[in-house]
């Protein structure tokens, strides 16, 4: 982006990397990606200062963001697609969005994707360094289960906007296990008392493998809190071991 604001000509002392060695096109690529404000006619030296000042202000993993060649020149890794966050940014986001101790969640406690592999559990701890949770099965609080971050999903708030026909997972009535289902009727939005935000309090679903003796699948009402999206296919479960051994004994 561009601006008529008077630029700073002083290269920031806190940045050890010398962006002045980058080609003009590389600097412009950084500026466009991060929407850094510069003058339309700014020379490369001014672009380098703007990039360095922006770089200094960011929470950046320098090993991911910048490569320094053996001859001391600075290189940017292969073009960033502008969509995929860096590994360090993903970790920070996951830690920020992690479920809190005491919070009810859906937890995957098997290595398969069969119905019932996700259960209702409560979070006891989240470890940001390893991105793992300790959870307790709501039906069996005698042990802790350690799970990777992508085997724990926060429950819904009623504002998710599931449409009729959407594929979901939901707690089957009178159980604490999640089963695959589809939203079979159009959700009804309403205003909660004292709130300006509309929510859906319950959803009408048809569960998979729930046909009656007449061959028909019944409509079942489930509180929206217990209706969650189908887990994303990008979860790489092969790298995420599930340790069913209690790391500590829960307090009694």
């Amino acid at each position: 982006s561009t601006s008529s604001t008077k630029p700073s000509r002083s290269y920031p002392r806190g940045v050890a990397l010398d962006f002045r060695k980058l080609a003009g096109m590389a600097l412009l690529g950084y500026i466009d990606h991060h929407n850094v404000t510069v003058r339309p006619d700014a020379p490369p030296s001014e672009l380098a200062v703007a990039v360095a000042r922006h770089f200094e202000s960011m929470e950046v993993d320098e090993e991911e963001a910048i490569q320094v060649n053996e001859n001391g020149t600075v290189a940017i890794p292969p073009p960033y697609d502008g969509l995929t966050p860096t590994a360090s940014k993903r970790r920070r986001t996951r830690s920020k969005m992690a479920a809190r101790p005491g919070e009810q969640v859906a937890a995957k406690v098997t290595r398969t994707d069969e119905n019932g592999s996700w259960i209702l559990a409560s979070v006891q701890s989240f470890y940001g360094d390893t991105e793992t949770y300790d959870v307790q099965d709501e039906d069996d609080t005698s042990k802790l289960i350690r799970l990777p971050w992508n085997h724990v999903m926060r429950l819904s708030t009623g504002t998710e906007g599931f449409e009729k026909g959407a594929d979901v997972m939901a707690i089957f009535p009178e159980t604490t296990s999640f089963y695959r289902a589809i939203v079979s009727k159009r959700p009804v939005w309403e205003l909660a008392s004292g709130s300006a935000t509309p929510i859906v309090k319950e959803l009408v679903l048809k569960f998979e493998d729930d046909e009656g003796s007449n061959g028909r699948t019944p409509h079942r009402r489930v509180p929206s809190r217990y209706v969650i999206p189908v887990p994303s296919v990008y979860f790489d479960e092969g790298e995420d071991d599930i340790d069913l051994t209690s790391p500590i004994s829960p307090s009694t």
Side-chain angles (χ1 to χ4, degrees):
S1 64
T2 60
S3 170
S4 59
T5 303
K6 185 176 180 180
S8 170
R9 298 180 181 276
S10 174
Y11 198 86
R13 294 181 179 180
V15 178
L17 299 170
D18 194 349
F19 286 97
R20 291 167 292 193
K21 294 180 180 180
L22 286 179
M25 288 303 295
L27 292 169
L28 287 172
Y30 182 104
I31 286 167
D32 287 343
H33 172 64
H34 292 287
N35 199 29
V36 179
T37 300
V38 295
R39 295 186 301 125
D41 57 348
S45 59
E46 188 176 311
L47 298 180
V49 170
V51 168
R53 289 194 173 280
H54 179 270
F55 183 80
E56 184 182 40
S57 70
M58 293 175 64
E59 286 187 63
V60 175
D61 184 333
E62 294 192 9
E63 291 182 359
E64 288 182 355
I66 299 296
Q67 297 171 350
V68 181
N69 298 324
E70 292 182 359
N71 62 6
T73 59
V74 179
I76 291 180
Y80 177 61
D81 64 12
L83 299 173
T84 307
T86 63
S88 61
K89 185 174 182 180
R90 286 197 301 268
R91 289 176 68 93
R92 288 196 298 271
T93 300
R94 287 196 291 261
S95 290
K96 183 178 179 181
M97 300 303 293
R100 303 297 184 251
E103 182 177 340
Q104 280 192 323
V105 294
K108 184 178 181 184
V109 294
T110 73
R111 288 183 171 83
T112 69
D113 286 318
E114 64 187 7
N115 264 330
S117 60
W118 290 79
I119 64 170
L120 186 64
S122 61
V123 172
Q124 302 304 303
S125 301
F126 175 74
Y127 305 99
D129 54 343
T130 57
E131 295 188 290
T132 55
Y133 285 92
D134 285 342
V135 304
Q136 281 183 342
D137 182 344
E138 290 285 47
D139 281 343
D140 180 7
T141 59
S142 64
K143 64 181 179 180
L144 293 181
I145 306 171
R146 181 155 294 178
L147 298 171
W149 64 272
N150 57 5
H151 285 228
V152 172
M153 295 178 68
R154 303 183 79 169
L155 301 183
S156 297
T157 63
T159 61
E160 285 68 26
F162 294 121
E163 298 289 344
K164 181 180 178 180
D167 292 318
V168 296
M169 290 200 313
I171 287 184
F172 193 84
E174 299 183 10
T175 77
T176 55
S177 295
F178 289 81
Y179 293 85
R180 289 186 289 272
I182 63 167
V183 178
S184 56
K185 291 191 177 182
R186 188 174 180 179
V188 176
W189 293 83
E190 53 188 284
L191 287 176
S193 177
S195 172
T197 303
I199 63 170
V200 174
K201 291 186 176 180
E202 66 176 11
L203 287 158
V204 180
L205 312 174
K206 283 188 175 182
F207 284 90
E208 190 176 283
D209 301 325
D210 188 32
E211 296 87 354
S213 56
N214 59 3
R216 295 180 180 178
T217 301
H219 297 282
R220 297 186 184 272
R221 295 181 180 274
V222 178
S224 60
R225 171 176 171 78
Y226 299 121
V227 181
I228 59 178
V230 175
S232 302
V233 296
Y234 67 79
F235 286 158
D236 185 4
E237 296 169 355
E239 296 180 0
D240 297 311
D241 253 345
I242 303 173
D243 181 4
L244 299 180
T245 304
S246 293
I248 57 172
S249 296
S251 353
T252 55

